[in-house]
Structures are given as C-alpha cells and as structure tokens.
Amino acid sequence: MNFLITLLIPLTLAATTPPNPTLIGGTNSNWGDFPSAVFIRTPILSYCGAAIVHPRFILTLAHCVYDDQLGAPMKQNQVEVVAGDIHFYPASYQRQQPEVVEIIVHRNYTSYNHNADIALLRLGTAFQLPSNTVDVAIRQQRIVANAVSCQLPGWGVNRNAANGIITAEQKYIQLPILDRDFCNGVSLHEGRIRENMLCAGTMLQSYNAPCTGNFGSPLYCEGQLTGLLTFGANCGAENDPPVFTQVRFFNRWIDEEIQRRL
C-alpha cells in the first residue's frame, strides 16, 4: 500500500523556495517495487540515485561522489546513504542507512565527458537482508534491444501553493531504449554518447522525464539494473534524451573491486 507522507513547512518558505523535482510525471511506486534503488546525499549534491549491487556495496555515478575542486573523491563521512524507503521525508521505519567507509571511483573517470562515470561505495555494515524493501540488484549482462521499455525510479516533488504542504515520494517513469547512433545525431549529444553508455527516452518534449536532481538514478530493463543516469536530465526538453552509464560494460570492474575487499 502506498502511503502519502507529507512534511509541513511554513507557508512563506514554501512560497519562496519550493524544491526542484528530480523527475516530472511518472507513476507512484509501491513498497518493494525497486528494492535495490537507493539515494545518497552529499554537501555538494542534495540527491543522487544509486543501486545496491552487494549487501555491502552500492553503485552510483563518479560525479555524485567526486569533488572536482579537490580532484579526488569526497570524504566517506560526507556521503549519506538511504535505502528501503519510498519517501524522501520523513523517514519510514523500513529505512536503512549504513555508513560509507570507502569511495571507489573508476580509474578512467573524466568529468568533462562523463567517461567511466561510475563509482562504488563500500559500507561499514551490510544491509539487513532479507527485506521486503531492500535487495541486491540483478545486473544486466546483455545488450538491451532498441525500443525495450525500461523503468527509472526517482523522486517526484510537489507543492500545494494553497497550504504549503510538500510531498516527496518515489515515482517511476517508462523510458524506451533509443538507438545510440540516432541519439548521437542530436546536436546536444553529438559525439558524446560512447559505447559504454546508452540512450533512452524520447526526442520529443516529454512530461514524463528526469530532471537534474535525478543523476545516478538506476535504469531497470527487464527487471535488471542496466544503467545509471549521467546526463541529458533536462525535465523533458526536446532533443535532449537521457543518457546512462551502461552497467554491463563495468561488471568485471565491479566484481573485481568487490572481491578485492571481501
């Protein structure tokens, strides 16, 4: 059952500083729909998506946990992990929040072109499993064909201007896989989409699309973790489809880094 949980804030604050949505449109998630989807918070980014790939590791974007000014990953204690909850606030009793003890950014990551935009977070304690709301993702191993419909969970933020009530709960949108060469022909993406990335969504203006606050959110195709949103998150702007780091290209790196630390 999907409970709507709200946070009351002063009317003047709600009127002047409404939060930005991480996605627009979408369908409300039910408990357990996306048990491997989590989110992280840092001093630089108030929200980034991620996915559980091992009871003690989560997968996210490098640019979610990398400090460009320092040219190095953030400190572990700057990253907060939230799992098992379909409400951004307040916390539900199903929520799990293990501490991060190590940040592992892919050695080939380059911020200017999003190459190898992927990172692992090692946790101090394992997630409590089995759980109805937390689980390890099945990672995609094969090419996903064009036009396959995939799901992207994220946060839908709404504000009722009349009473200042804000709601923030997990929603998901359907995104069909697009041909990479076709996406690379778009002026905004020309030549930027590498083989280790994939493109999904639509070239047309869309009212079901991710926004900039949704970076790192996992894309699930056929129930398997397929991508992490890395750029093209512009709230459904025309000719700017979402682009994802393609997880299957990094499966060997993920497995090696995890095995090295067990």
Side-chain angles (χ1 to χ4, degrees), residues 84-110:
D85 205 339
I86 60 172
H87 301 296
F88 195 83
Y89 48 64
S92 302
Y93 73 89
Q94 296 94 335
R95 180 173 290 193
Q96 296 187 37
Q97 295 186 262
E99 66 173 344
V100 176
V101 296
E102 185 180 9
I103 298 173
I104 309 143
V105 172
H106 196 282
R107 60 187 175 276
N108 294 330
Y109 168 63
T110 47

Side-chain angles (χ1 to χ4, degrees), residues 64-244:
C64 287
V65 292
Y66 194 85
D67 190 327
D68 286 327
Q69 291 186 339
L70 295 178
M74 300 174 184
K75 294 180 180 179
Q76 299 93 307
N77 61 6
Q78 292 180 300
V79 182
E80 178 186 5
V81 174
V82 178
D85 205 339
I86 60 172
H87 301 296
F88 195 83
Y89 48 64
S92 302
Y93 73 89
Q94 296 94 335
R95 180 173 290 193
Q96 296 187 37
Q97 295 186 262
E99 66 173 344
V100 176
V101 296
E102 185 180 9
I103 298 173
I104 309 143
V105 172
H106 196 282
R107 60 187 175 276
N108 294 330
Y109 168 63
T110 47
S111 60
Y112 71 92
N113 63 1
H114 301 277
N115 182 50
D117 192 359
I118 199 164
L120 279 166
L121 306 182
R122 182 166 65 90
L123 308 175
T125 56
F127 286 109
Q128 298 174 27
L129 300 173
S131 165
N132 291 330
T133 60
V134 176
D135 203 357
V136 176
I138 299 172
R139 282 180 272 146
Q140 187 67 250
Q141 304 288 334
R142 301 178 180 179
I143 297 172
V144 178
N146 293 339
V148 168
S149 183
C150 305
Q151 294 75 45
L152 177 78
W155 295 97
V157 180
N158 299 300
R159 178 173 63 88
N160 186 325
N163 56 22
I165 294 176
I166 288 179
T167 62
E169 55 189 347
Q170 189 188 79
K171 296 186 176 184
Y172 67 92
I173 53 178
Q174 300 282 351
L175 296 175
I177 297 295
L178 296 174
D179 180 79
R180 185 171 62 249
D181 291 337
F182 181 66
C183 287
N184 258 332
V186 179
S187 59
L188 287 173
H189 292 343
E190 187 173 4
R192 297 177 66 195
I193 306 173
R194 297 166 174 261
E195 187 180 4
N196 60 15
M197 302 174 182
L198 57 83
C199 185
T202 177
M203 295 293 184
L204 304 176
Q205 184 178 4
S206 175
Y207 297 99
N208 290 276
C211 302
T212 53
N214 215 57
F215 290 126
S217 287
L219 183 73
Y220 296 92
C221 301
E222 301 167 335
Q224 299 184 3
L225 176 62
T226 303
L228 300 171
L229 181 62
T230 181
F231 63 92
N234 290 319
C235 288
E238 188 176 359
N239 292 324
D240 193 10
V243 178
F244 300 81

